[in-house]
Amino acid sequence: MKDRLGFIGLGIMGEPMCLNLLKSGYSVTVFNRTASKMEQVTGAGAVPADSPGAVAEKSDIIITIVSDSPDVKAVILGKNGVIRGLRKNAVVIDMSTISPAVTQKIAKTLEKKGGHMLDAPVSGGDTGAKAGTLAIMAGGRKEIFERCLPVLKVLGKTITHVGGHGMGQTVKLCNQILVSVTNMAVSEAVLFARKAGVDPNLMIQAVSQGAAGSWQLSNLAPKMVREDYAPGFMIDLQLKDLRLALETAGAMAQPLPGLTLVHELFLMNQKHREGKEGTQALIKSIDRLAL
Ligand code: NAP
């Protein structure tokens, strides 16, 4: 029999992920803080609950995908949190991007209550969430990872167990270092091409299959060229991830000069009230340096 699933957090990522689980035949109990955002998934067969704790009462595996570390703590350990309704041997899979240290503390608390936890943050954006092709990097006990694999396979294509509790989040921060520093290079190349009188779309076409190819070049650069700043991934959330990476690096005395610079540039976007725009709006901060 299939595990009964719970799903908490129906934002840009959570809603399409939950829809994919429903499509593949799972029964899903859902909770979202803003109740109106549950309509799409309840229309597709999900059962609404009025708190994360009530979701847990009906679930063998509970997926959370909310914003930041305090939000994950609130939905799992808070007043009406998952822990209030946690069944014995139930697994919480947190797919948000949060602090590795906070993840480890939550995992310990859940294990003391007879449950389990995986940190399984994702990469691939809203397009990967819709297509079920996310990259998933999981931390936690290997046997729990294997138990949850059928569910993770509905959501992602590249699913890697990378170590114990918190290691999934650590690898996600490596992912964010790669993504952000590459975004800065892509922004610079688009501005450079434009200034030099080359059609930036032709530049993208010419180089994207060579050594300079990247997800950022293929997906973000065309949006930069047509000045489409609608969020796939919001700058406010990207800044949260960069802060987590810089804090973690600081604790290990590991310098991250490239990431430090991108962090400053994204802060400049926030100062220009661009925090709700997509990360491709990084190009605006670099462009403004020329004024
Ligand atoms: P989003 O659209 O802003 O959705 C956030 C969700 O979390 C909403 O359902 C929100 O509820 C809920 N939430 C936030 N704080 C909460 C709290 N304290 N209590 C209860 N619910 C709370 O964000 P998203 O883009 O889906 O991102 C979600 C997570 O995935 C983040 O950790 C992000 O870093 C990560 N991520 C995002 C992307 C991407 O491309 N978007 C890619 C990879 C990873 P309300 O509806 O009530 O606000």
Side-chain angles (χ1 to χ4, degrees):
M1 211 175 85
K2 280 192 168 194
D3 282 304
R4 292 166 308 158
L5 304 185
F7 204 103
I8 298 165
L10 298 162
I12 290 179
M13 297 297 284
E15 183 187 280
M17 289 164 71
C18 184
L19 286 171
N20 283 339
L21 291 167
L22 289 162
K23 258 186 243 156
S24 69
Y26 280 100
S27 69
V28 189
T29 306
V30 292
F31 171 78
N32 194 67
R33 181 179 57 183
T34 307
S36 60
K37 287 200 209 156
M38 291 195 277
E39 280 167 17
Q40 184 83 3
V41 296
T42 51
V47 178
D50 58 11
S51 72
V55 168
E57 278 170 19
K58 297 195 176 131
S59 309
D60 307 307
I61 296 177
I62 303 120
I63 294 173
T64 55
I65 180 152
V66 294
S67 305
D68 201 348
S69 311
D71 308 307
V72 174
K73 263 173 112 172
V75 299
I76 298 180
L77 305 180
K79 196 163 151 256
N80 296 313
V82 165
I83 201 160
R84 310 291 150 204
L86 193 71
R87 302 171 73 87
K88 191 150 178 54
N89 277 325
V91 185
V92 178
I93 309 179
D94 178 38
M95 305 193 82
S96 329
T97 304
I98 66 161
S99 149
V102 170
T103 294
Q104 285 164 350
K105 284 186 192 147
I106 297 173
K108 256 195 190 150
T109 311
L110 289 175
E111 287 190 345
K112 272 191 201 147
K113 269 273 185 178
H116 303 281
M117 181 166 180
L118 289 179
D119 44 304
V122 301
S123 174
D126 57 333
T127 46
K130 283 178 196 147
T133 56
L134 292 166
I136 302 176
M137 37 228 106
R141 296 183 194 280
K142 180 96 173 157
E143 65 276 18
I144 300 300
F145 169 75
E146 275 159 8
R147 179 177 152 198
C148 295
L149 210 44
V151 175
L152 297 177
K153 278 186 177 162
V154 175
L155 303 173
K157 206 165 77 175
T158 314
I159 304 160
T160 315
H161 181 246
V162 294
H165 295 303
M167 293 302 141
Q169 295 296 354
T170 303
V171 172
K172 170 69 189 192
L173 296 182
C174 295
N175 182 85
Q176 296 310 73
I177 295 168
L178 290 161
V179 161
S180 308
V181 178
T182 308
N183 187 352
M184 182 166 66
V186 167
S187 303
E188 289 187 3
V190 170
L191 288 168
F192 182 88
R194 193 184 277 154
K195 198 78 158 263
V198 174
D199 177 345
N201 281 318
L202 290 177
M203 180 277 288
I204 295 164
Q205 192 185 314
V207 305
S208 61
Q209 297 309 314
S214 67
W215 189 95
Q216 285 67 36
L217 185 65
S218 302
N219 291 276
L220 296 186
K223 291 185 184 179
M224 291 174 184
V225 175
R226 54 175 197 271
E227 300 183 7
D228 168 6
Y229 300 118
F233 186 48
M234 277 178 213
I235 284 174
D236 284 345
L237 282 178
Q238 178 72 280
L239 269 165
K240 177 259 301 180
D241 295 353
L242 302 197
R243 171 181 51 76
L244 290 171
L246 291 170
E247 280 170 9
T248 309
M252 304 184 292
Q254 171 61 51
L256 296 177
L259 198 73
T260 304
L261 178 54
V262 191
H263 183 249
E264 290 296 315
L265 292 166
F266 276 128
L267 283 177
M268 286 162 58
N269 283 112
Q270 249 185 357
K271 288 212 172 77
H272 282 83
R273 300 176 199 284
E274 293 159 358
K276 303 279 176 248
E277 296 187 0
T279 53
Q280 67 275 20
L282 179 66
I283 194 171
K284 293 201 260 182
S285 276
I286 300 175
D287 198 20
R288 280 190 287 261
L289 297 175
L291 297 177

